[in-house]
């Protein structure tokens, strides 16, 4: 039955006015149990887990229950060479980064200011400024919705990749992340390979200084979702074959290419969109951000359809010019749950 009475506007960062049948905040594993445990409920009424809704686009009202994960708790254990952290999935990611630095534990600083909850971080293996979550993650604790089985996935089992993990594939829609384990090495080494961090001296720089530099870069480049609705990079940076890369290098020698370990070549989606002169393009209330072309924004009145139509145009123009197909990074949510985003914008 659909009776969309609860607004999701404050529960996702795109700020689009969509509704759900019900919204429940779960502060403990027990609360989650009673909301979605019984197979019967789960099968008849769709359930959607949300952290802070900073990586989702609702396409319609949601015909089910949205569970906001707020399972808290941070436990830190010291070993001879590391700090081991066990963190509840509902903890705020940026606050965790800040808290570790305040305690003198380096290692998460390059991932500062990424919105969202700790439990969502492994799902797309969050990354920024040459650090990805899998480099600091030890395990992901999950509970399956169908039978309540608890399982710990080590990092190999998580199959982490660029903006990817097993949780987006085999187990899609079937689990709740309840906690994440981290290992922060005591022997800290700064990661300063990103172009705007190279001015820092690796011999003297501290984790806090790297954190402050990252926060400055991000504040300059990315729109604040509390002011302008968005979900960060709307598209993933495309990974292309070496043969297409060679072809593009001849036609566009100024577009940088980044060779990956697996032989694929990564391009910057923002740069491709920028080259198509799409910055500022507006469809209804949705627009390509003027400073960062990879980010699509809600100028205030965007409908889901505006964002989808804009994404479709951007994908089409980039494909026509470069023969490269952009894929959304953002999870698209239909009235029944997570849906195939590429299909929607094709
Ligand atoms: P949500 O959007 O709430 O959920 C994302 C997906 O995970 C949904 O499919 C949801 O159903 C599922 N999910 C959430 N919690 C659970 C759970 N406990 N169990 C099972 N499934 C769950 N990402 C980066 O990688 N790097 C960046 O630099 C970056 N910068 C950003 C900047 C801005 C301004 C914004 C708005 C976003 C940015 N993002 C970035 C994207 C986003 O912040 C991350 O993907 C983040 O991890 C999402 O967390 P969330 O709690 O908001 O997830
Ligand atoms: N660029 C342009 N025009 C633009 C935007 C960027 O020419 O409009 C150029 C930049 O000058 C730079 C290159 O494109 O040479 C890459 O840009 P940037 O370093 O800003 O990174 P990005 O590829 O746009 C990625 C991640 C971000 C992450 C940053 C920093 C993806 C999809 N996005 O963005 O993650 O914070 O690198 O590491 O991988 C997110 O996932 O939501 C996100 C924000």
């Amino acid at each position: 039955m659909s009776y969309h009475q609860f607004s999701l506007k404050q529960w996702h960062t795109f700020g689009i006015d969509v509704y759900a049948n019900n919204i429940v905040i779960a502060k403990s594993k027990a609360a989650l149990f009673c909301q979605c445990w019984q197979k019967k409920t789960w099968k008849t009424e769709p359930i959607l887990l949300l952290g802070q809704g900073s990586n989702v686009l609702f396409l319609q009202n949601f015909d089910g229950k949205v569970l906001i994960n707020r399972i808290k708790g941070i436990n830190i254990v010291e070993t001879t060479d590391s700090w081991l952290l066990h963190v509840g999935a509902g903890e705020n990611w940026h606050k965790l980064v800040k808290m570790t630095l305040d305690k003198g534990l380096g290692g998460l600083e390059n991932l500062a200011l990424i919105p969202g909850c700790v439990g969502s971080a492994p799902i797309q293996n969050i990354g920024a400024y040459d650090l990805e979550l899998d480099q600091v993650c030890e395990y992901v604790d999950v509970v399956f919705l169908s039978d309540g089985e608890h399982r710990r996935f080590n990092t190999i089992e998580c199959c982490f990749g660029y903006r990817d993990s097993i949780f987006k594939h085999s187990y899609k829609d079937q689990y709740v992340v309840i906690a994440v384990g981290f290992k922060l090495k005591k022997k800290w080494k700064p990661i300063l390979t990103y172009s705007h961090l190279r001015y820092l001296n690796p011999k003297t720089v501290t984790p806090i200084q790297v954190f402050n530099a990252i926060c400055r870069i991000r504040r300059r480049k990315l729109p604040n979702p509390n002011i302008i609705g968005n979900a960060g990079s709307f598209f993933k940076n495309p990974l292309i074959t070496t043969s297409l890369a060679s072809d593009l290098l001849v036609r566009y020698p100024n577009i940088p290419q980044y060779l990956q370990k697996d032989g694929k070549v990564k391009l910057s989606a923002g740069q491709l969109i920028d080259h198509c002169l799409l910055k500022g393009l507006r469809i209804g209330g949705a627009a390509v951000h003027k400073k960062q072309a990879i980010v699509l924004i809600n100028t205030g009145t965007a409908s889901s359809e505006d964002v989808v139509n804009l994404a479709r145009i951007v994908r089409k123009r980039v494909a026509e010019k470069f023969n490269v197909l952009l894929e959304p990074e953002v999870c698209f949510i239909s009235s029944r749950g997570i849906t195939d985003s590429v299909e929607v914008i094709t």
Side-chain angles (χ1 to χ4, degrees), residues 13 48-56 69 89 113-117 119-121 123-129 163 175-178 218 222-223 225 230-233 329 331 333 338:
T13 61
L48 177 75
L49 260 296
L50 270 194
Q52 291 182 343
S54 65
N55 207 30
V56 290
N69 190 325
L113 270 191
I114 298 183
C117 287
S120 325
I123 294 171
Q124 75 150 2
N125 187 23
I126 57 166
Y129 309 99
R163 298 294 189 269
Y175 65 91
V176 185
V177 175
I178 54 164
R218 293 186 69 96
L222 291 159
N230 75 94
S233 296
E329 176 192 297
C331 310
I333 315 284
I338 300 169

Side-chain angles (χ1 to χ4, degrees), residues 195-209:
S195 53
H196 292 76
L197 294 172
R198 289 200 195 125
Y199 71 95
L200 293 165
N201 181 347
K203 291 204 177 105
T204 55
V205 76
T206 65
I208 297 273
Q209 285 168 339

Side-chain angles (χ1 to χ4, degrees), residues 55 124 127-130 162-163 194 218 221-222 231-237 256 258 266 268-271 274 279 289-294 329:
N55 207 30
Q124 75 150 2
Y129 309 99
D130 296 329
Y162 166 63
R163 298 294 189 269
Y194 186 79
R218 293 186 69 96
K221 285 192 174 193
L222 291 159
S233 296
F234 192 89
F235 298 99
K236 288 190 256 190
N237 283 327
Y258 309 94
K266 197 188 256 185
S268 153
Q271 218 156 44
D274 205 353
K279 268 185 180 162
H289 189 48
K290 284 187 180 148
K291 284 197 210 155
Q292 193 72 0
I294 198 171
E329 176 192 297

Side-chain angles (χ1 to χ4, degrees), residues 295-314:
V295 178
L296 303 189
I297 59 166
N298 175 2
T299 61
T301 54
S303 63
S304 312
E305 211 182 356
D306 293 340
V307 181
V308 168
N309 286 337
L310 179 65
R312 204 175 278 136
I313 292 171
V314 169

